[in-house]
Amino acid sequence: MTRLTTQDIQDIRYQLNRYDRYLVSATGRSLLGIGAAAAGIGDVTRLRGAAPSIRMAVVPIRSGLGIISGFAETVCGILVHLGFDAFVTGYSDVSGFAEAVDAGAQVILAADDDRFVAFCPRQGKTVDNSRATAAGFVAGLDLMAGGLDGKDVLVIGCGPVGRWSVESLLMRKARVSVVDRVAQKAADLAGWVQGAFHSTIRVAPDPDTALSTHRLIVEATNAAEVIHARHVNADTRVSAPGMPCGLTPHAREKLTGRMLHDPLPIGVAAMASQAVRIIREQPMGLKSTASDGRSE
Ligand code: 2YC
């Protein structure tokens, strides 16, 4: 998992209105709309109406390599932009979690060096950033492509985000190929998909051939300069959750309006939307009761 730097994120919260306009031009939907699509929420207006009453806390975490200056503030800025009642706790770590719960936060977001998670304490559920980010970028590709059912889609990069991207693509009935510069990782992912979903995906022979023969691409590598201008034509659409951006500047220029890439916004919008589904579907975490009335 690529660790973000302050430089990666420092301007994000000040450019969200401009970014929303780009997203609408590329996908027809705003950041909230893409998050809703990632969570399977059809009624974006209802989500927008509910957001101000949903309190979310972002807790800075000092463990491991420590705090990334601006990270919690950027996550919070994205949540506020989406309409949520969001704040960064004054304390970090355990004290920050206690402050969040005492303040009535229904969703608590925090990241250490290994995971970035949204917690729904009352429901005893969590939302993982890698899985939500994959869902968000696949939803964006779906919107750019006008649907993915039956269409060939390439996932390049078979790490956590690539893996969950395959899941989202299969749910949208895409015909998935995977490739990784380490061929064994692609083969392992194909084996996992066969076991987990009883679905068959293709393992492409090599990145360059795969990129030259696919028009719909999820770029989920942690490398830069994976997709070059020579791979891009008028029908190409790229959704690029990978950090750093895997497109060369020339490829990005050719793909303006037909590509998605950001270090945090789409992933955070997807996390928040998935968390809303959890807290709305289980308001007080009441588990369904068994037939004899016992709670499960
Ligand atoms: O400021 C803090 O609270 C730090 N503990 C945050 C560390 C985040 C480390 N993870 C990353 O930089 C990214 C995540 C946003 C998703 C994958 N890597």
Side-chain angles (χ1 to χ4, degrees), residues 1-4 59-63 66-69 71-72 111-114 116 129-130 263-264:
M1 178 170 79
T2 311
R3 179 177 169 89
L4 295 173
V59 181
I61 301 296
R62 291 180 299 175
S63 67
I67 282 171
I68 298 173
S69 174
F71 175 79
D112 63 14
D113 294 347
D114 303 310
F116 176 19
N129 170 263
S130 294
L264 272 176

Side-chain angles (χ1 to χ4, degrees), residues 164-193:
W164 293 123
S165 296
V166 169
E167 179 198 44
S168 282
L169 288 165
L170 291 174
M171 286 164 63
R172 295 166 185 269
K173 300 185 175 48
R175 293 153 44 98
V176 180
S177 295
V178 294
V179 71
D180 191 289
R181 61 185 168 188
V182 178
Q184 190 54 48
K185 288 181 76 173
D188 291 348
L189 177 49
W192 176 75
V193 168

Side-chain angles (χ1 to χ4, degrees), residues 128-142:
D128 178 75
N129 170 263
S130 294
R131 195 166 187 180
T133 297
F137 277 86
V138 166
L141 185 67
D142 190 319

Side-chain angles (χ1 to χ4, degrees), residues 11-123:
D11 300 332
I12 286 174
R13 59 191 185 281
Y14 308 114
Q15 296 178 346
L16 287 170
N17 289 329
R18 174 144 59 102
Y19 188 48
D20 250 338
R21 288 194 293 276
Y22 174 80
L23 291 176
V24 170
S25 72
T27 70
R29 286 204 176 189
S30 67
L31 185 60
L32 186 66
I34 292 170
I41 294 175
D43 187 344
V44 185
T45 306
R46 187 156 168 257
L47 174 61
R48 186 176 291 111
S53 64
I54 298 174
R55 176 160 294 176
M56 298 193 173
V58 186
V59 181
I61 301 296
R62 291 180 299 175
S63 67
L65 296 172
I67 282 171
I68 298 173
S69 174
F71 175 79
E73 295 75 13
T74 299
V75 172
C76 184
I78 295 163
L79 295 171
V80 167
H81 173 78
L82 296 171
F84 294 103
D85 172 13
F87 68 103
V88 178
T89 55
Y91 291 99
S92 62
D93 310 306
V94 172
S95 303
F97 267 87
E99 180 187 343
V101 172
D102 291 346
Q106 295 168 275
V107 183
I108 304 171
L109 295 93
D112 63 14
D113 294 347
D114 303 310
R115 292 191 66 192
F116 176 19
V117 175
F119 300 83
C120 302
R122 299 178 196 172
Q123 292 76 22

